[in-house]
Amino acid sequence: EGSENAYDIQLKLTKEVLTIQKQDVICISGSDHSTNHRTVTLRRQPVGGLGLSIKGGAEHKVPVVISKIFKDQVSLQTILLSVVHLLRNAGDEVTITVQYLREAPSFLKLPLGSPGPSSDHSSGASSPLFDSGLHLNGNSTNTAPSSPSSPIANEPKYEKRWLDTLSVPLSMARISRYKAGTDKLRSNAFEVLALDGVSTGILQFYTAQECADWLRALSTNISDLTLQNMKMANKCCSLSDQIIHMGWVNERFEGTDSSQLYKYKFLALKGSSFYIFSTPPVSTLDWVRAEKIYHLCEVLFKVHKLWLADDCWLQANLYLGIHQDYELEDQRPYCFSVMVGHGKSHYFNVELGSELAAWEKSFQRAIFLEVQRTGSKTYMCSWQGVTLCFTVDFALGFTCFESKTKNVLWRFKFSQLKGSSDDGKTRVKLLFQNLDTKQIEMKELEFQDLTAVLHCIHSFIAAKVASLDPVFIDSQCMARKYMYNN
């Protein structure tokens, strides 16, 4: 990622593909190249080897060029290699096919951004040809020799043009703004990685605005393609098993040295479940191969960190019923967690604030739809040695009844729940207001997985409020509120 390895490229963005273009020299007119092809035989000398000097090559992103032929070998001025056979490990005699240039075009020796034919980009960076010390006429100056007064008819003419060199498909692609193995954002730079692993490499922009514009454009196209894939997949799914949202995130893990380690994960909200994949599902069978699958009614989405326009951090605590938070020691903005059963959780980071807002909205929508589809959830519990059933019902509220006799012990509406407390393990106290006496009644229960039950209660109450007052729910969406307003 060092600046010394940087060179100018041009980006071309379409709906489905990001193309990287590099400048190259092509013949635009004149005699056919094949007339300039020559076969040359070089004989290895006891001193001096094959007797030629080679510059350029893949490491400089330019063709291999023989810049000098020594005495007693071949008397050529400047030749550009088309094919080179077994130079490094060759025997005493090597035959190569070369292309002869009578004179080098002047723009081959100029910096990349310098004025010249078809040069529409100006920058301070030099071309790899120039940086490699390559001078096609065998001199060390940047000035081209004067053209002959009487050019040969039909002589080939060369021009520098932007040519496509790498295409990165954007369907299921991901963007990385972080330096490898760190929590540090790259300065005005990012990398795009395709589903098949093809990478653009580090794209370094001249200004923060250019970087932001490209991030926004690429993110929009990737999101549109993801939505298109979702629509196609949903045609094969029932109405109760539709994909609500999916996309790439970074999941935080603890390293062996207590350091924080992030790995790419692909999340999906589909039907009644929340999925975590190591790679995106591209077929129907892939959905059963998820690393983790959780029931949406029993998870709790929580925004942890936002990055405001003035670079200040905002800690947003949105949990309900469980007193738990994270040590936010990392430097990554746009973080959220998904708390699941038995007190476990997954901590994620996304690259852009718009992605955080999309996940917040999508989790809310997916959970609300699942609550309405399910209608009710029943959990086994106990109190004072008696096995009970506790039901959360979207229409009726809370009901507790005996497991064997089905005898209802008590029932309260959602609006009657005035408070709760728990021991963080198995036991919870629910405080209800009696509508007749206006007194508070405490109901104490024990659950095997208390966290899942509390999340379910939260999901049903939030869905109930959303059905009555959607504006209030929208006003509580921290990511959307701060990302869009700032």
CSV table of all heavy atoms in Angstrom, one decimal, residues 33-53:
chain,number,residue,atom,x,y,z
A,33,HIS,N,1.7,-5.0,-38.1
A,33,HIS,CA,2.8,-5.3,-37.2
A,33,HIS,C,3.6,-6.5,-37.6
A,33,HIS,O,4.8,-6.5,-37.3
A,33,HIS,CB,2.2,-5.5,-35.8
A,33,HIS,CG,1.8,-4.2,-35.1
A,33,HIS,ND1,1.4,-4.2,-33.8
A,33,HIS,CD2,1.9,-3.0,-35.5
A,33,HIS,CE1,1.1,-3.0,-33.5
A,33,HIS,NE2,1.4,-2.2,-34.5
A,34,SER,N,3.0,-7.4,-38.3
A,34,SER,CA,3.7,-8.6,-38.7
A,34,SER,C,4.9,-8.3,-39.5
A,34,SER,O,5.9,-9.1,-39.6
A,34,SER,CB,2.8,-9.6,-39.3
A,34,SER,OG,2.2,-9.0,-40.5
A,35,THR,N,4.8,-7.2,-40.3
A,35,THR,CA,6.0,-6.9,-41.2
A,35,THR,C,7.2,-6.5,-40.4
A,35,THR,O,8.3,-6.5,-40.9
A,35,THR,CB,5.6,-5.8,-42.1
A,35,THR,OG1,5.2,-4.6,-41.4
A,35,THR,CG2,4.4,-6.2,-43.0
A,36,ASN,N,7.0,-6.1,-39.1
A,36,ASN,CA,8.1,-5.6,-38.3
A,36,ASN,C,8.6,-6.8,-37.3
A,36,ASN,O,9.4,-6.5,-36.5
A,36,ASN,CB,7.6,-4.4,-37.4
A,36,ASN,CG,7.5,-3.2,-38.3
A,36,ASN,OD1,8.1,-3.0,-39.3
A,36,ASN,ND2,6.6,-2.3,-37.8
A,37,HIS,N,8.0,-7.9,-37.5
A,37,HIS,CA,8.5,-9.0,-36.6
A,37,HIS,C,9.7,-9.7,-37.2
A,37,HIS,O,9.8,-9.9,-38.4
A,37,HIS,CB,7.4,-10.1,-36.5
A,37,HIS,CG,6.2,-9.7,-35.7
A,37,HIS,ND1,5.1,-10.5,-35.5
A,37,HIS,CD2,6.0,-8.6,-34.9
A,37,HIS,CE1,4.3,-9.8,-34.7
A,37,HIS,NE2,4.8,-8.7,-34.3
A,38,ARG,N,10.7,-9.9,-36.4
A,38,ARG,CA,11.9,-10.5,-36.8
A,38,ARG,C,12.3,-11.6,-35.9
A,38,ARG,O,12.1,-11.5,-34.7
A,38,ARG,CB,13.1,-9.4,-36.8
A,38,ARG,CG,12.7,-8.2,-37.7
A,38,ARG,CD,13.9,-7.2,-37.7
A,38,ARG,NE,13.6,-6.1,-38.5
A,38,ARG,CZ,14.4,-5.1,-38.8
A,38,ARG,NH1,15.6,-5.1,-38.2
A,38,ARG,NH2,14.1,-4.1,-39.5
A,39,THR,N,13.0,-12.6,-36.4
A,39,THR,CA,13.5,-13.7,-35.6
A,39,THR,C,15.0,-13.4,-35.4
A,39,THR,O,15.8,-13.2,-36.4
A,39,THR,CB,13.3,-15.0,-36.3
A,39,THR,OG1,11.9,-15.2,-36.4
A,39,THR,CG2,13.9,-16.1,-35.4
A,40,VAL,N,15.4,-13.4,-34.2
A,40,VAL,CA,16.8,-13.0,-33.8
A,40,VAL,C,17.4,-14.2,-33.0
A,40,VAL,O,16.8,-14.7,-32.1
A,40,VAL,CB,16.9,-11.7,-33.0
A,40,VAL,CG1,18.3,-11.4,-32.7
A,40,VAL,CG2,16.3,-10.6,-33.8
A,41,THR,N,18.6,-14.6,-33.4
A,41,THR,CA,19.3,-15.6,-32.6
A,41,THR,C,20.5,-15.0,-31.8
A,41,THR,O,21.3,-14.2,-32.4
A,41,THR,CB,19.9,-16.7,-33.6
A,41,THR,OG1,18.8,-17.3,-34.3
A,41,THR,CG2,20.7,-17.7,-32.8
A,42,LEU,N,20.5,-15.2,-30.5
A,42,LEU,CA,21.5,-14.7,-29.7
A,42,LEU,C,22.4,-15.8,-29.1
A,42,LEU,O,21.8,-16.9,-28.8
A,42,LEU,CB,20.9,-13.9,-28.5
A,42,LEU,CG,20.0,-12.8,-28.8
A,42,LEU,CD1,19.4,-12.2,-27.5
A,42,LEU,CD2,20.7,-11.7,-29.6
A,43,ARG,N,23.7,-15.6,-29.1
A,43,ARG,CA,24.6,-16.7,-28.7
A,43,ARG,C,25.3,-16.2,-27.4
A,43,ARG,O,25.8,-15.2,-27.3
A,43,ARG,CB,25.6,-17.1,-29.8
A,43,ARG,CG,24.9,-17.7,-31.0
A,43,ARG,CD,26.0,-18.0,-32.1
A,43,ARG,NE,25.3,-18.7,-33.2
A,43,ARG,CZ,24.7,-18.1,-34.2
A,43,ARG,NH1,24.6,-16.8,-34.2
A,43,ARG,NH2,24.1,-18.8,-35.1
A,44,ARG,N,25.2,-17.1,-26.4
A,44,ARG,CA,25.8,-16.7,-25.1
A,44,ARG,C,27.3,-16.7,-25.2
A,44,ARG,O,27.9,-17.5,-25.8
A,44,ARG,CB,25.4,-17.8,-24.1
A,44,ARG,CG,25.7,-17.4,-22.6
A,44,ARG,CD,25.2,-18.4,-21.7
A,44,ARG,NE,23.8,-18.7,-21.8
A,44,ARG,CZ,22.8,-17.9,-21.2
A,44,ARG,NH1,23.2,-16.9,-20.4
A,44,ARG,NH2,21.6,-18.2,-21.3
A,45,GLN,N,27.9,-15.6,-24.6
A,45,GLN,CA,29.3,-15.4,-24.7
A,45,GLN,C,29.9,-15.8,-23.3
A,45,GLN,O,29.2,-15.8,-22.3
A,45,GLN,CB,29.6,-13.9,-24.9
A,45,GLN,CG,29.0,-13.4,-26.2
A,45,GLN,CD,29.6,-14.1,-27.4
A,45,GLN,OE1,30.8,-14.2,-27.6
A,45,GLN,NE2,28.7,-14.5,-28.3
A,46,PRO,N,31.2,-16.2,-23.3
A,46,PRO,CA,31.8,-16.5,-22.0
A,46,PRO,C,31.8,-15.4,-21.0
A,46,PRO,O,31.6,-15.6,-19.8
A,46,PRO,CB,33.3,-16.8,-22.5
A,46,PRO,CG,33.2,-17.2,-23.9
A,46,PRO,CD,32.1,-16.3,-24.5
A,47,VAL,N,31.8,-14.2,-21.5
A,47,VAL,CA,31.7,-13.0,-20.6
A,47,VAL,C,30.6,-12.1,-21.1
A,47,VAL,O,30.6,-11.8,-22.3
A,47,VAL,CB,33.1,-12.2,-20.6
A,47,VAL,CG1,32.9,-11.0,-19.7
A,47,VAL,CG2,34.2,-13.1,-20.1
A,48,GLY,N,29.7,-11.8,-20.3
A,48,GLY,CA,28.6,-10.9,-20.7
A,48,GLY,C,27.3,-11.5,-21.0
A,48,GLY,O,26.3,-10.9,-21.3
A,49,GLY,N,27.2,-12.8,-21.0
A,49,GLY,CA,26.0,-13.6,-21.2
A,49,GLY,C,25.5,-13.4,-22.6
A,49,GLY,O,26.2,-13.5,-23.6
A,50,LEU,N,24.2,-13.2,-22.8
A,50,LEU,CA,23.5,-13.0,-24.1
A,50,LEU,C,23.8,-11.7,-24.8
A,50,LEU,O,23.5,-11.5,-25.9
A,50,LEU,CB,22.0,-13.3,-24.0
A,50,LEU,CG,21.6,-14.7,-23.6
A,50,LEU,CD1,20.1,-14.8,-23.3
A,50,LEU,CD2,21.9,-15.6,-24.8
A,51,GLY,N,24.3,-10.7,-24.0
A,51,GLY,CA,24.7,-9.5,-24.6
A,51,GLY,C,23.6,-8.5,-24.9
A,51,GLY,O,23.6,-7.9,-25.9
A,52,LEU,N,22.6,-8.5,-24.0
A,52,LEU,CA,21.5,-7.5,-24.2
A,52,LEU,C,21.0,-7.0,-22.9
A,52,LEU,O,21.2,-7.7,-21.9
A,52,LEU,CB,20.3,-8.1,-25.0
A,52,LEU,CG,19.4,-9.1,-24.3
A,52,LEU,CD1,18.1,-9.4,-25.1
A,52,LEU,CD2,20.0,-10.5,-24.0
A,53,SER,N,20.4,-5.8,-22.9
A,53,SER,CA,19.9,-5.2,-21.7
A,53,SER,C,18.4,-5.1,-21.8
A,53,SER,O,17.9,-4.5,-22.7
A,53,SER,CB,20.5,-3.8,-21.5
A,53,SER,OG,20.0,-3.2,-20.4
